[in-house]
């Protein structure tokens, strides 16, 4: 069931070793060694069958009881003007989210439906609503969580537990905000869910997915493939031949819970979705990160396996270029927290914050991670066939922030990391909850001591802002990042905590090098971090930054009490959140559940100008789905 730890993903034990040959070189050319592909379908099938039998034997000898079923809860190419409403990690690499822009309209994905709201010409008017799945598709057991917009195409990404695999729905959006279903495609994959990552990216008109496929004896279901849902021939079509599937970087055993890590790139510029995939075998534990040119997958196994292993290195880092060239690998130690632990920098290096006990961010793994930190700084030229281990000179030991659930982010020339108070209370004698270090430098990390834990780290102008609770109040503390790192002024919201934990819940609009507006969903201090799963939307708090002096503008509050029944048929839990601050075309909005509220900043305060509900009605829902 969704959001429970994958059994296969909890037994990770790669044994990296030499044995992968360099890729072919042209006459007189020196090429970087790469992972080795399979030479034929027969060779690939024989390898896969042996590995699948090893997996089956392992689980026969080491049975694991299934977890109990989950209880249901109780209760930026898209915009022609060049504006984005998504707090992304990389400029130019859009991430799947719940709200995007198209021309004069906002596009919203919520609870199994797509909505458009016209904002052009000063309007605030609901326009269209359609199911986020195609006609004839039974949405039960499916979750439609992510959306992207490319040109006049809205892409909805979902995962079906009933059918197995990823669903990609394409919808046409008109200049008038109208929506119509174009096609739905089904891709083979395992569950990619992460509480801190997003499965899809958009780079230009290229749709990029990462997805693991568990290794099983069912060969037909074990390789990257897709099909069009409403096509006359609905059979799956392989999109990764043997020559695009790569051997593991070392030996791989059944106890490693092996998967086929796949990266699929689809061209949204063609009428029919044209997709190509690259796959490589490795252990299941993973954090994946997408730069403008590559997908990186850090595959990790549990540390207790090292006790009987002659090789202390327990992870392998794969680099999978988006141009279709062969993947490369490097043996590494520890594991990153989440995708924000990575930075592919312009000087030809990959920088990664690693923890000695890092095991991957699938499901809620990142919320419990801890361990001794280090900064891995590796030249991209050091990646090869996976037989080489990153030398100790590539690692830089860092001071430990005591607690679980590390937060981290690269901001400019700096790496910041810290721990939330709620993840393990720190005694007064413990070290600082926050550290800052130049990722390309050699100086020691700077310990910073705001009087609160670190629940969120975000870029803010030339510096950063850290957000966290002290158990009673919510604090926003500015961090100046110049020749040194230093705390700036702090704003405190009494009796509050942040209402969304995902990166997309925050947004900052710069109005100068050290000035701008920021917004964040907030709730009462007595609420819990996942309250949006059962308690509706949070309110949006707005602050002004003026040279790192943070002042409150006020909040825009949600009012969904009158929505008794929305006729939800799919995705009836907001796993990816439901509240977002939006700064668009000089206007300020708060998306809160089924409401869009516009505010105006006047005299140092924000006031509500108007609001509109785009909530579906059960009768309309029934008629639209017939």
């Amino acid at each position: 069931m969704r959001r429970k730890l994958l059994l296969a993903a909890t037994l990770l034990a790669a044994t990296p070793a030499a044995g992968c040959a360099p890729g072919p070189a042209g006459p007189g050319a020196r090429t970087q060694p790469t992972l080795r592909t399979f030479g034929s379908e027969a060779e690939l099938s024989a390898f896969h069958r042996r590995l699948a039998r090893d997996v089956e034997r392992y689980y026969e000898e080491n049975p694991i009881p299934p977890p109990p079923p989950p209880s249901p809860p109780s209760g930026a190419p898209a915009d022609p003007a060049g504006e984005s409403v998504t707090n992304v990690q990389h400029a130019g690499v859009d991430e799947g989210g719940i709200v995007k822009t198209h021309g004069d309209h906002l596009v919203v994905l919520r609870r199994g439906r797509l909505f458009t709201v016209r904002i052009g010409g000063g309007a605030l008017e609901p326009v269209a609503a359609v199911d986020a799945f195609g006609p004839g598709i039974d949405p039960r057991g499916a979750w439609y969580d992510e959306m992207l917009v490319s040109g006049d195409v809205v892409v909805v990404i979902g995962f079906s537990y009933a059918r197995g695999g990823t669903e990609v729905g394409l919808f046409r959006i008109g200049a008038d905000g109208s929506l119509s279903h174009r096609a739905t495609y089904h891709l083979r994959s395992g569950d990619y869910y992460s509480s801190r990552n997003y499965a899809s990216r958009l780079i230009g008109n290229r749709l990029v997915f990462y997805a693991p496929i568990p290794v099983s004896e069912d060969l037909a279901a074990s390789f990257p493939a897709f099909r069009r849902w409403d096509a006359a021939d609905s059979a799956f079509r392989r999109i990764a031949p043997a020559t695009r599937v790569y051997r593991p970087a070392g030996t791989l055993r059944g106890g490693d819970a092996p998967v086929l890590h796949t990266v699929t790139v689809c061209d949204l510029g063609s009428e029919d979705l044209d997709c190509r995939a690259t796959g490589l075998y490795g252990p299941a534990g993973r954090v994946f990160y997408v730069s403008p040119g590559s997908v990186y997958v850090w595959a990790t196994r549990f540390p207790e396996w090292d006790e009987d292993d002659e090789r202390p290195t327990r992870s392998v880092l794969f680099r999978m270029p988006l141009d279709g060239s062969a993947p490369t690998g490097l043996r590494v130690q520890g594991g990153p927290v989440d995708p924000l632990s990575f930075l592919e920098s312009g000087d030809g290096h990959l920088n990664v914050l690693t923890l000695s006990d890092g095991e991957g961010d699938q499901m809620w793994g990142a919320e419990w991670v801890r361990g001794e930190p280090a900064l891995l700084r590796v030249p991209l030229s050091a990646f090869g066939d996976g037989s080489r281990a990153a030398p100790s000179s590539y690692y830089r030991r860092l001071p430990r922030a005591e607690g679980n659930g590390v937060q981290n982010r690269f901001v400019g020339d700096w790496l910041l990391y810290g721990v939330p108070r709620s993840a393990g209370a720190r005694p007064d004698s413990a070290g600082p909850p926050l550290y800052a270090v130049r990722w390309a430098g050699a100086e020691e990390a700077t310990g910073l001591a705001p009087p609160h834990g670190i629940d969120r780290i975000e870029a803010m102008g030339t510096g950063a802002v850290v957000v966290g609770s002290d158990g009673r109040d919510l604090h926003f503390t500015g961090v100046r990042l110049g020749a040194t790192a230093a705390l700036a002024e702090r704003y405190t919201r009494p009796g509050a905590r942040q209402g969304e934990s995902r990166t997309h819940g925050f947004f900052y609009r710069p109005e100068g090098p050290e000035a701008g507006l920021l917004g964040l969903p907030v709730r009462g201090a007595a609420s819990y971090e996942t309250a949006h799963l059962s308690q509706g939307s949070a309110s949006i708090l707005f602050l002004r930054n003026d040279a790192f002096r943070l002042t409150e503008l006020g909040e825009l509050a949600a009012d969904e009490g009158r929505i008794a029944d929305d006729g939800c048929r799919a995705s009836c839990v907001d796993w990816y959140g439901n509240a977002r601050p939006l700064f668009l075309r000089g206007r300020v909005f708060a998306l809160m559940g089924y409401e869009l509220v516009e505010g105006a900043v006047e005299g140092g305060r924000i006031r509500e100008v108007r609001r509109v509900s785009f909530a579906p009605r059960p009768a309309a829902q029934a008629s639209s789905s017939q």
Side-chain angles (χ1 to χ4, degrees), residues 5 195 337 359-370 405:
L5 293 175
S195 62
V337 179
E359 297 168 359
D361 71 343
Q362 64 270 33
M363 300 301 171
W364 289 281
E367 273 58 56
W368 301 103
V369 70
R370 62 185 304 156

Side-chain angles (χ1 to χ4, degrees), residues 571-595:
S571 299
C572 298
V573 177
D574 294 321
W575 294 106
Y576 282 46
N578 54 32
R580 299 288 185 269
L582 306 172
F583 302 103
L584 189 63
R585 302 180 187 180
R587 299 164 71 184
V588 180
F589 299 96
L591 173 66
M592 298 175 289
Y594 284 127
E595 293 182 304

Side-chain angles (χ1 to χ4, degrees), residues 158 171 180 183 227 250 267 271 332-333 419 429 443-444 503 506 554:
F171 296 80
S180 61
R227 62 177 176 172
D267 180 9
E271 182 62 26
V332 287
Q333 298 186 41
V419 293
S429 59
E443 60 267 39
E444 294 185 357
T503 56
F506 174 93

Side-chain angles (χ1 to χ4, degrees), residues 391-619:
S392 59
S393 60
Y394 287 0
Y395 295 90
R396 180 178 169 194
R397 294 189 64 180
L398 298 175
R400 179 168 177 162
E402 292 294 339
N404 299 334
V406 174
Q407 297 288 332
N408 58 168
R409 188 126 195 183
F410 287 88
V411 179
D413 296 333
W414 294 81
L415 164 68
L416 288 84
Y417 65 97
V419 293
R421 184 183 186 279
S422 58
R426 299 178 300 104
D428 293 339
S429 59
L434 178 68
Y435 288 91
V437 60
R438 287 186 182 274
W439 46 263
E443 60 267 39
E444 294 185 357
T446 300
L448 303 172
H452 57 85
I454 310 302
D455 296 321
R456 178 183 292 272
I457 303 172
E458 300 287 357
M460 186 176 72
T462 59
V465 60
V466 292
V467 183
S469 171
D470 63 4
R472 301 179 305 275
D473 305 323
L474 183 65
H475 303 270
F476 297 72
T477 300
V479 182
R480 298 182 186 275
L481 299 173
T484 60
L487 297 181
E489 294 192 36
R490 183 176 73 256
Y491 163 80
T492 299
R493 172 78 168 191
R497 64 174 300 161
Q498 69 169 353
E500 296 263 351
S501 60
R502 284 189 171 270
T503 56
H504 292 178
F506 174 93
F507 205 83
Y508 179 76
R509 183 180 74 185
E511 296 180 337
E514 293 187 356
L517 301 180
L518 63 90
L520 181 72
V522 296
R523 293 182 184 272
S527 66
Y528 50 95
E529 187 170 333
T530 55
H532 60 274
L533 301 182
S534 59
Q535 293 186 4
S537 175
S539 299
I540 306 293
L541 174 68
F542 293 91
L543 303 179
R544 180 178 293 282
N545 169 39
D546 185 4
F548 294 94
R549 179 173 179 266
L550 299 172
T551 56
E552 180 180 336
L553 298 175
E555 70 175 45
L556 297 176
D559 180 18
E560 289 192 281
R562 63 182 182 277
I563 302 173
D565 181 11
D566 63 359
C568 183
R569 298 175 59 207
S571 299
C572 298
V573 177
D574 294 321
W575 294 106
Y576 282 46
N578 54 32
R580 299 288 185 269
L582 306 172
F583 302 103
L584 189 63
R585 302 180 187 180
R587 299 164 71 184
V588 180
F589 299 96
L591 173 66
M592 298 175 289
Y594 284 127
E595 293 182 304
L596 188 65
V597 181
E598 182 173 4
V601 179
E602 299 173 350
R605 299 294 296 175
I606 191 168
R607 64 176 179 86
E608 179 179 325
V609 175
R610 52 186 166 169
R611 70 174 57 211
V612 66
S613 172
F614 52 89
R617 299 295 180 260

Side-chain angles (χ1 to χ4, degrees), residues 221-464:
S222 297
F223 300 120
F226 84 136
R227 62 177 176 172
R228 180 165 173 159
W229 184 269
D230 54 354
D233 179 8
S234 60
F236 276 101
R237 176 170 60 87
R238 279 272 299 274
I239 54 175
T243 54
R244 295 298 304 164
V245 179
Y246 292 81
R247 295 175 176 275
T251 58
L252 195 61
R253 304 169 299 187
D256 299 341
V259 301
L260 187 64
H261 297 282
T262 67
V263 170
T264 302
V265 180
C266 302
D267 180 9
L268 292 174
S270 58
E271 182 62 26
D272 291 325
L273 198 62
D274 180 19
C275 298
R276 293 173 293 173
T278 300
L280 55 84
Y281 288 95
R286 83 290 190 276
V287 178
F288 75 93
Y289 156 76
V290 184
S291 75
S294 299
V295 177
Y296 294 86
V297 179
W298 188 298
T300 312
R301 59 184 182 142
F302 283 150
E304 54 261 33
W305 286 79
D306 293 342
E307 296 175 0
D308 300 320
D309 198 324
E310 296 179 356
R311 305 177 185 88
T313 300
R314 61 184 179 89
S315 300
V316 60
L317 174 59
F318 299 107
R319 183 187 184 209
M320 305 174 75
L322 293 174
D323 63 5
S325 55
T328 51
L330 187 70
R331 289 164 51 195
V332 287
Q333 298 186 41
V337 179
D338 56 31
L340 298 179
S341 304
F342 294 76
L343 172 67
E344 184 189 84
S345 51
D347 60 357
H349 286 73
L350 181 70
N351 309 273
V352 190
L353 174 69
T354 69
L355 297 178
S356 57
D357 297 338
E359 297 168 359
D361 71 343
Q362 64 270 33
M363 300 301 171
W364 289 281
E367 273 58 56
W368 301 103
V369 70
R370 62 185 304 156
E372 299 299 327
L375 177 59
L376 171 66
R377 181 165 160 79
V378 55
L380 299 185
S381 59
F383 283 82
D385 60 12
S387 62
R388 182 190 180 199
S392 59
S393 60
Y394 287 0
Y395 295 90
R396 180 178 169 194
R397 294 189 64 180
L398 298 175
R400 179 168 177 162
E402 292 294 339
N404 299 334
V406 174
Q407 297 288 332
N408 58 168
R409 188 126 195 183
F410 287 88
V411 179
D413 296 333
W414 294 81
L415 164 68
L416 288 84
Y417 65 97
V419 293
R421 184 183 186 279
S422 58
R426 299 178 300 104
D428 293 339
S429 59
L434 178 68
Y435 288 91
V437 60
R438 287 186 182 274
W439 46 263
E443 60 267 39
E444 294 185 357
T446 300
L448 303 172
H452 57 85
I454 310 302
D455 296 321
R456 178 183 292 272
I457 303 172
E458 300 287 357
M460 186 176 72
T462 59

Side-chain angles (χ1 to χ4, degrees), residues 75-149:
D79 184 56
E83 287 188 277
S84 172
V85 293
T86 306
N87 178 23
V88 298
Q89 184 173 2
H90 277 288
V93 182
D94 199 8
E95 301 167 0
I98 64 169
V99 57
K100 301 292 179 181
T101 60
H102 177 270
D104 288 335
H105 298 85
L106 286 172
V107 188
V108 182
L109 172 67
R110 189 179 186 220
R111 292 170 64 87
R113 292 179 66 84
L114 276 174
F115 306 87
T116 56
V117 179
R118 184 171 180 263
I119 59 171
L124 189 65
E125 176 186 6
V127 176
V130 299
D131 289 330
F133 45 90
I137 294 178
D138 184 347
R140 289 176 295 181
W143 298 86
Y144 304 97
D145 294 319
E146 299 184 27
M147 173 189 58
L148 290 156
V149 177

